[in-house]
Amino acid sequence: MSFKRFTITAALPYANGPVHIGHLAGVYVPADIYVRYMRLQEKDVLFICGSDELGVPITLRAKKEGISPQDVVDRYHAMIAKSFEEFGISFDHYSRTSSPVHWETSSEFFKKLYQDGVFTEESSKQYFDEESQQFLADRYIQGTCPNCGFAAAYGDQCEHCGSSLSPTDLKQPKSMLSGKPPVLKETKHWYLPMDQYENWLRKYILEDHREWKTNVYGQCKSWIDQGLKPRAMTRDLDWGVPVPLEEAKGKVLYVWFDAPIGYISATKEWAKANNRNWEPYWKDSDTRLIHFIGKDNIVFHCIIFPVILKAHGDYILPDNVPANEFLNLEGDKISTSRNWAVWLHEFLEELPGKQDVLRYVLCANAPETKDNDFTWKEFQARNNNELVAIFGNFINRAVVLTHKYFDGQVPPMGKTNDLDTEILDRLAEYPVQIGGSLENFKFREALNQMMDVARMGNKYLADTEPWKVIKQDKQRVGTILNLSLQIAANLSILADPFLPRTCEKLRAILGIDKLKWADSGKQNLLQTGNQLENAALLFEKIEDSVVEQQIEKLKASKLENNPDQQVQTRPQKPEITFDDFLKLDIRIGKVVSAEKVAKSKKLLKLVVDTGLEERVIVSGIAQNYTPEQAVGQTVTVLLNLMPRKIMGIESQGMILMAEDADGRFGFLQPDKEVKPGGEVS
RNA sequence: GGCGUGGUAGCUCAGCUGGUUAGAGCGCAGGAUUCAUAAUCCUGAGGUCGGGAGUUCAAGUCUCCCCCACGCUACCA
C-alpha cells in the first residue's frame, strides 16, 4: 500500500518528572530522525506529542510536595516542552492532556463507545474514605502486609517484602488521606471487554503485521495467547477526565484510556492553529499511523488503543509500533526516584551546543534490539573518534584545501578517472540505502551508513593526495576537490535527519540552501565558482575533564541517595519489655545444605545446624545467595518461631537477615567464630 | 513456574528462507602520510558464534535440554 500522509506520534512523557536520555534514546530521537527524513522526502507528515498529565502518581507527588496536581504538571510540562524545543525534537505540535480539547475529545470518545454498548458494567467493593468522601486508589491505602508484617505496605504492593497485594489483603488498612480506616463500598466501573476482541487482534497483529519488530510482535503474541481480560476504563479518582455519565459522578477515565486519545486531541489543536483539517490524519485509510514508544508501552499501543479505535469504528489503526528497549546508565537502570539519570534539561545547560552529539550517541547506541548502556566514556569516544575525526575532519579537510588552492571557490570538475566514477557511483547509492534503513526503523544501521559517506570522503582524499598533485596538476586537484565538496554537500542532506544543527552549519559553510532528499546522490549540488565560507569546526573534541565531571556528578547523586533512603527508614516499633525479649530464642547456626525451592523465585530451603539438631528452614534469600554461597555460612536463627508451611515445606525457624537500603540482604554473623548453638542475648 | 526478547571478536552490533576460510564500526598493535581538531589511510592480531545433545552431505542459522540478562505473567504466602 502506498500512503499519502503520515501521522507519527511519540509516547506522551508523564508529567511527574523531567525527560532523561532513556526517553530520548528509546522514543524521541528515533521518532525525530524518522520525521525529519520524511519531511526531506516532502511527505505529508505530522509529528504529534504532548505531556501526559493525569493519573495517580501525579496526585501522589502533589500530595508529597503539598501542592496541587495542577502545579505539578504545570511545572513539568513547561520544563519538558522547553527542553524538547532546545534539544531539537521537531514536533509539529506538543500538547498536554489537561487541555480542554483533550477533555472534550476523550470524553466524546468514551460517550460514543458507551452509546454503542461497547462497555460492560461491573460493580465491586472498593475501599472508601468516609471523611474525605472518596474512593481510594490502591496506593492511597496503607496497612500491615499479610506476608511479612511490614506496617506501611501499600494497597498494591509491599515495599518491604516485594509481594504484590490487593488492598483488601492489608491488615488494619488506613486511608492515607484521613488516616482513618476506610470502609468497603460498592462502586461501578465500565470495562472494555478485551476478550471479545481476541480473534480480531490475532488477525490484526499476528497475521497482518508480521513485519513488526520481533520484540513487539513477541510481546503482543504473549499477551494475546495468555488470554485477554476485560479492563476497567474508569477509575474512582478526582484527577482526570470526568466520566461523561450522570451515574458516574466522581469518576474519571482511566489514564490509559485517555492518554493515547491525547494524540488525537493534539492533532485537533494543531489543525485549528494551522487552519487545517485533522480528520484525514486519523481517519483516511491512506494515512499511515506510527507510534514510537518504549517497551513498557507495548500493550497499551498495540492492544488496548487499537481495540478502542476499532470499537469506535471511524479510525485507522496503528500500522507500526516501533518500540525500543531500555537504556541503562553506567551499568545501572535509569531511575527517576533514585536520581540515576542524565536529565535533558541539565545536559542542555551543562553541555551547551552538544545537542547533535547526544543525538548521535543515543542513535548509535540506541536500544533497538535489547537494553543498552550509556556511558560518558562512550559519549566522549563517539564524539572524538567519530564525529570529530571522521565527519568533522572530512568536511574541514575539503574546505581548507579549497581555500588553500582555490580561494574558497568551488573549482570545476574536469575529466573524471575510474576512481572518481566509482566514488560518484557509490555516492548515488547511499540515499537509497540510508532511506531504506530508516524506513525499516533501523536507525543505528542508517547512521552508520551515513558515516560511511564521510569515511569514503576521507579515503578519497587519502587516495588522491591533492596536496601532492597540486605541484604538477592544479586542474586535477580541482576535480578532486569539487568531488569532495559534492560529497560534503550530500552529507548536508544525508546527515540532516540525524544531525540537524550540524547540517545547518555545514550548509552555511558550503553556501547552499537546504536541499531535499531527492537531491542527494547527485554530483552537482554545488555550482562551480560557489564561494565557501571559512572553515568552521563542526564538532569539538570533548576533554576528559568534561566527562569526568559528569561521572562525578552521577557518583555524587548515588551517595546522596543513600541518606534519602534512610529517610524512609521505618519508625521504631512500640516499646516491649525485657521479658518480651527473653521470649525469643536466638542462636547461631551453620548452613549444612541449601537448595532452591521449586516454583519459587525467592526461597531457599536450608538445612541448618542449630547446635541442638539440624533443622529445615525456608528463607527468602534466593535473590541474594545461591545455594552454593549459602552452604557453610554462619547464620543467626530465631529458633522458637512457630513452625509454618511455606510452599509445602515446613519451616522450623527463621534466619535473621540484615537489610541494606538498596534491598539487599546479608546474613547476620558474629565477628568472632561462634559454634552452632551459641546463644544471642 | 509459564511466555516473550536477547546472549556472535575487549566494547556496540550485522549475519535473509541452513552451504565456500563467521563480518562491520570503535578499541588495540604495526606501518604509510601530513591537507586536516596527532585527525586520516593501509595492514594485522583477536571469536570452539552462552553450554550440551540431536537432525543433516552441511548449523551461528533447524529441534530438544540447560545456563545467564531484561521484560510480561502466574502460583504460593
Side-chain angles (χ1 to χ4, degrees), chain A residues 179-445:
Chain A
K180 303 220 164 120
V183 296
L184 280 171
K185 193 171 161 181
E186 190 92 354
T187 181
K188 182 150 97 176
H189 284 289
W190 286 263
Y191 287 73
L192 186 62
M194 309 273 291
D195 45 320
Q196 292 174 20
Y197 291 83
E198 186 182 316
N199 287 333
W200 175 78
L201 279 169
R202 264 183 208 286
K203 177 163 189 328
Y204 164 56
I205 298 173
L206 303 184
E207 285 177 34
D208 296 346
H209 284 294
R210 290 177 202 268
E211 81 283 8
W212 285 6
K213 288 177 63 172
T214 50
N215 58 338
V216 177
Y217 187 92
Q219 186 66 60
C220 289
K221 186 172 180 341
S222 174
W223 275 88
I224 295 171
D225 285 347
Q226 273 174 35
L228 300 162
K229 288 179 203 144
R231 199 163 175 134
M233 292 293 122
T234 55
R235 292 290 139 103
D236 289 302
L237 194 72
D238 59 1
W239 183 244
V241 179
V243 177
L245 299 174
E246 263 309 306
E247 53 180 321
K249 282 256 157 65
K251 296 180 198 294
V252 299
L253 303 181
Y254 173 44
V255 275
W256 275 112
F257 180 82
D258 85 76
I261 294 173
Y263 299 136
I264 300 171
S265 320
T267 307
K268 287 183 178 176
E269 286 182 357
W270 164 84
K272 200 173 173 195
N274 293 277
N275 212 8
R276 297 280 299 270
N277 182 6
W278 69 273
E279 290 185 90
Y281 289 91
W282 284 95
K283 297 188 173 176
D284 282 9
S285 60
D286 54 7
T287 296
R288 188 175 187 210
L289 174 61
I290 300 173
H291 298 304
F292 282 85
I293 57 167
K295 66 173 164 186
D296 50 333
N297 275 193
I298 290 174
V299 65
F300 302 110
H301 286 80
C302 298
I303 311 263
I304 298 178
F305 189 46
V307 166
I308 293 172
L309 292 171
K310 164 75 179 164
H312 186 290
D314 293 346
Y315 285 81
I316 52 167
L317 299 166
D319 186 61
N320 209 320
V321 185
N324 274 337
E325 304 281 310
F326 285 154
L327 188 69
N328 293 329
L329 170 60
E330 302 282 355
D332 277 334
K333 276 186 197 182
I334 293 179
S335 158
T336 302
S337 59
R338 285 188 297 119
N339 194 27
W340 187 253
V342 175
W343 303 105
L344 178 56
H345 64 286
E346 292 183 359
F347 175 89
L348 292 168
E349 213 169 278
E350 291 164 24
L351 291 131
K354 296 269 181 270
Q355 287 95 331
D356 280 2
V357 179
L358 187 59
R359 285 174 75 101
Y360 181 83
V361 174
L362 293 180
C363 180
N365 194 27
E368 278 177 13
T369 52
K370 63 172 185 191
D371 290 1
N372 253 336
D373 196 28
F374 175 94
T375 64
W376 281 106
K377 231 184 98 199
E378 189 191 345
F379 176 83
Q380 181 191 28
R382 290 223 185 245
N383 179 76
N384 293 356
N385 305 332
E386 298 178 29
L387 289 176
V388 172
I390 297 169
F391 192 107
N393 187 225
F394 166 64
I395 302 295
N396 193 237
R397 296 172 82 185
V399 173
V400 165
L401 286 168
T402 306
H403 275 285
K404 202 159 188 168
Y405 302 142
F406 296 94
D407 299 321
Q409 287 177 9
V410 178
M413 187 180 302
K415 241 172 88 187
T416 52
N417 64 20
D418 287 353
L419 175 62
D420 302 342
T421 312
E422 194 201 319
I423 297 284
L424 290 170
D425 287 348
R426 281 172 59 195
L427 186 60
E429 286 166 17
Y430 276 107
V432 181
Q433 273 186 37
I434 297 171
S437 297
L438 287 175
E439 276 159 36
N440 288 310
F441 309 112
K442 294 187 172 177
F443 298 98
R444 277 192 315 224
E445 186 177 273

Side-chain angles (χ1 to χ4, degrees), chain A residues 146-188:
Chain A
N147 211 7
C148 68
F150 179 51
Y154 292 111
D156 56 348
Q157 193 189 23
C158 171
E159 305 219 317
H160 184 245
C161 68
S163 49
S164 58
L165 305 169
S166 104
T168 46
D169 293 339
L170 291 176
K171 293 174 189 163
Q172 293 141 16
K174 266 186 198 159
S175 162
M176 287 170 69
L177 295 180
S178 64
K180 303 220 164 120
V183 296
L184 280 171
K185 193 171 161 181
E186 190 92 354
T187 181
K188 182 150 97 176

